Amino acid sequence: MKNSVTKMNEKKPTQCFSFEVVMMVHVIADDEATAQVQLDEKGGIVTKREVKLLNSTILYGEKEKA
């Protein structure tokens, strides 16, 4: 049986970044129920966004040496 798995030789690291995002979004609609549906399906107008990096981790690849 031939082994078809090849070893990854990634030199450049691929990372996963986790962010906490707080947004103020406006939706123009006739009532709250319609606004909720529109927000879920299409989104709204973002007027404020605060982003905070929580953490990051290398998924695969090698970290460059300084």
Side-chain angles (χ1 to χ4, degrees):
M1 180 176 198
K2 186 179 178 183
N3 186 355
S4 62
V5 177
T6 57
K7 183 179 177 184
M8 289 182 61
N9 192 14
E10 277 290 325
K11 299 293 182 192
K12 181 179 174 186
T14 297
Q15 300 182 64
C16 177
F17 296 89
S18 298
F19 294 94
E20 176 182 37
V21 181
V22 178
M23 301 172 74
M24 174 75 68
V25 179
H26 299 276
V27 178
I28 300 169
D30 293 333
D31 55 51
E32 185 179 351
T34 303
Q36 184 67 52
V37 170
Q38 182 173 322
L39 179 62
D40 291 343
E41 292 179 358
K42 299 177 184 177
I45 302 163
V46 178
T47 58
K48 181 179 178 184
R49 186 176 82 159
E50 297 174 13
V51 179
K52 176 182 171 186
L53 177 63
L54 298 177
N55 63 37
S56 66
T57 186
I58 294 177
L59 298 177
Y60 59 86
E62 297 177 5
K63 201 173 195 179
E64 291 184 18
K65 295 176 182 164

